Amino acid sequence: GAGVSQSPSNKVTEKGKDVELRCDPISGHTALYWYRQSLGQGLEFLIYFQGNSAPDKSGLPSDRFSAERTGGSVSTLTIQRTQQEDSAVYLCASSLKVWGAGAYNEQFFGPGTRLTVL
Amino acid sequence: TQLLEQSPQFLSIQEGENLTVYCNSSSVFSSLQWYRQEPGEGPVLLVTVVTGGEVKKLKRLTFQFGDARKDSSLHITAAQTGDTGLYLCAGYSSGGGADGLTFGKGTHLIIQP
């Protein structure tokens, strides 16, 4: 299928190690979002990319978190010096249109990466 | 900060019963979306409501946007086991989260056979 894909599906790491999570958005979608979902909780916004504009990093919880999007397509979320509180499911979504006054668009989500920090 | 409160947080009912879940805020949203998330998967959009007082139906699911565009409800008639999942509401407003979209924490719904 041509949906959003994420890898790895599961990642177990030791405290203090760095991890990289990958997201392949739907082809042609200009917007890409990263969220974090703790056990049983809603979605916590992390970062948003739109086309070639500078990303909205306002949701990143600390400077240990960073993300990049190469060529307007694939995105990588990097967490440095992981902590146990970073354990969560990291969800990526993409969408076709940009939000604006009176406009809306559907976000298509990937299956997520479950990160466990021991 | 735009906040969306969802209630109840957990709901477990028997198949065939009716239920309503709520999404409330003190803020006005220009539109509101409902998503359903099943275990091990990402959320999937069910509906978007845009106009205050709007009602949309999706088979046995009825969605309503409050007149003041601060709240929404999801009513399920004759619930089925396939309705089990996490229901998330998400509101759009300028200054909100990702590109203006703010998610609630969700309602965990379990339909018992």
Side-chain angles (χ1 to χ4, degrees), chain A residues 1-66:
Chain A
V4 177
S5 60
Q6 294 186 244
S7 60
S9 55
N10 282 283
K11 177 71 177 179
V12 180
T13 190
E14 294 180 347
K15 179 182 174 181
K17 295 286 181 67
D18 298 351
V19 295
E20 284 189 353
L21 312 180
R22 177 187 168 104
C23 172
D24 280 273
I26 292 173
S27 178
H29 280 193
T30 57
L32 186 146
Y33 315 78
W34 282 99
Y35 294 89
R36 179 169 67 177
Q37 187 174 33
S38 300
L39 186 62
Q41 297 297 307
L43 274 63
E44 175 190 2
F45 164 65
L46 297 178
I47 189 169
Y48 157 63
F49 296 88
Q50 170 56 41
N52 296 320
S53 302
D56 175 359
K57 303 179 181 180
S58 59
L60 293 178
S62 79
D63 58 8
R64 296 185 296 104
F65 287 73
S66 63

Side-chain angles (χ1 to χ4, degrees), chain B residues 91-112:
Chain B
Y92 172 72
S93 64
S94 59
D99 197 17
L101 196 62
T102 301
F103 280 85
K105 292 188 176 183
T107 292
H108 293 266
L109 177 63
I110 297 175
I111 308 302
Q112 311 264 14

